[in-house]
Amino acid sequence: MSWKKFRNSNFIIRLTAWEYWPFGIVQFPLFIYWLWLSLRARSVLFFSASNPTIVLGGMFGESKHDVLNLIPERYKPKTVLVKAPAKKEMVLRTMNDRGLTFPVIFKPDLGERGFMVKKISSEEQIDSYLRALNKDFLIQEFLDLSVELGVFYTRFPEETEGRVTSVVIKDMLTVTGDGKSTLEQLILDKPRAKLQWPKLKVTHSQLLNSILPAGEQFVLNSIGNHSLGTTFVNGEHLINANLSKTFDTISKQIDGFYFGRYDLRCSSIEDLYEGKIKIMELNGCGAEPAHIYHPGFPLWKALGILFTHWKNIFLISMQNHKKGVQFTSYKEGKAIYKKFKEATLPG
């Protein structure tokens, strides 16, 4: 193997950028901290009190549909829950009844990190999705809005006002044509896209030999998830008193919500500040302040932010507990975890 080929190998790409490291490596020191906080709270599931109206506070096992139901209608895209087992004819009828047209987004009702989130543009793709996932799933309106963000909100129960503590700008995975290279070559020449090659060569199989005109951008994946190649760009510069006030107003309309990340789309940053947004998902305490995954963000700084993140989970949970919110029992938490793992298995 040549030095150039080795340097551009998936192994080196992942090794030299901690954002690609296995989840457990980065999270290990936080696991030790969680154990310490659990001892202080006398509950390993203390985080369940962080958002009392969401299962386990949103750490895992919550229904996306149930959480969306907590949000006022004006902030949500059209969304419908489809119960398994489902047939294509029933799915099409449901879409028609709710005024949903192609393209739409299909996503499991229980799931995380982009698992089985797909843009569906045809009846044939519905067939493929139903063969791959025999679980409850959501059909969600595809939002043709140019800005996609993750906005993290924090409010302590003993305080009257919350604030935005993180903003991540999602830059979809794209390649730019040079008038000479095929789509396949463009993908393999871009490290972030190269890591997604096993999926992209299937998704774009009919276009791999096409040559993009110079300067033309081609979106490889329109789903804004880090595991699918999206670049997470640090958007901390967008945080100000106005943004915090806007999301404090929205969040106080969501019963029992104190801590988590809004995954949303809007037409512009001006609309973001005015609260003219559509919330695709609301993730509770299991979400992360995703701006730390900005390429080149220092690992030591990211770990410091994550330790503060867990400290805030602890403080919010303990303040809610003092107000009478009970921690989920170990037995109940174990049952939720088992159901969650079964739901996120393929098939």
Side-chain angles (χ1 to χ4, degrees), residues 5 7 12 20 92 102 113 162 167 180 201 284 295 297 333:
K5 190 172 182 180
R7 187 180 61 189
I12 294 299
Y20 297 124
L92 289 170
F102 294 121
R113 298 185 180 275
V167 175
K180 299 177 293 184
K201 69 180 180 181
F297 199 91

Side-chain angles (χ1 to χ4, degrees), residues 42-101:
R42 295 182 174 82
S43 169
V44 294
L45 300 178
F46 66 86
F47 49 78
S48 62
S50 59
N51 296 305
T53 56
I54 302 176
V55 170
L56 288 178
M59 182 61 69
F60 60 81
E62 73 277 15
S63 158
K64 290 183 174 70
H65 188 254
D66 288 351
V67 176
L68 280 171
N69 279 342
L70 298 172
I71 301 171
E73 288 295 325
R74 65 181 175 278
Y75 299 119
K76 297 186 294 186
K78 293 179 184 177
T79 306
V80 61
L81 175 66
V82 176
K83 305 290 287 186
K87 299 293 184 183
K88 181 177 72 174
E89 293 72 21
M90 186 268 284
V91 171
L92 289 170
R93 187 166 57 250
T94 299
M95 288 176 57
N96 184 64
D97 290 345
R98 292 297 300 269
L100 290 162
T101 57

Side-chain angles (χ1 to χ4, degrees), residues 100-101 103-105 119 140-144 222-223 265:
L100 290 162
T101 57
V104 289
I105 300 297
K119 182 180 178 182
Q140 193 169 77
E141 169 189 6
F142 178 74
L143 297 170
D144 189 19
S222 58
I223 306 298
R265 280 188 182 247

Side-chain angles (χ1 to χ4, degrees), residues 60-61 110-112 335-345:
F60 60 81
L110 297 179
E112 59 181 8
I336 293 169
Y337 181 74
K338 181 179 179 182
K339 180 181 177 182
F340 171 69
K341 295 306 291 184
E342 289 174 350
T344 52
L345 290 173

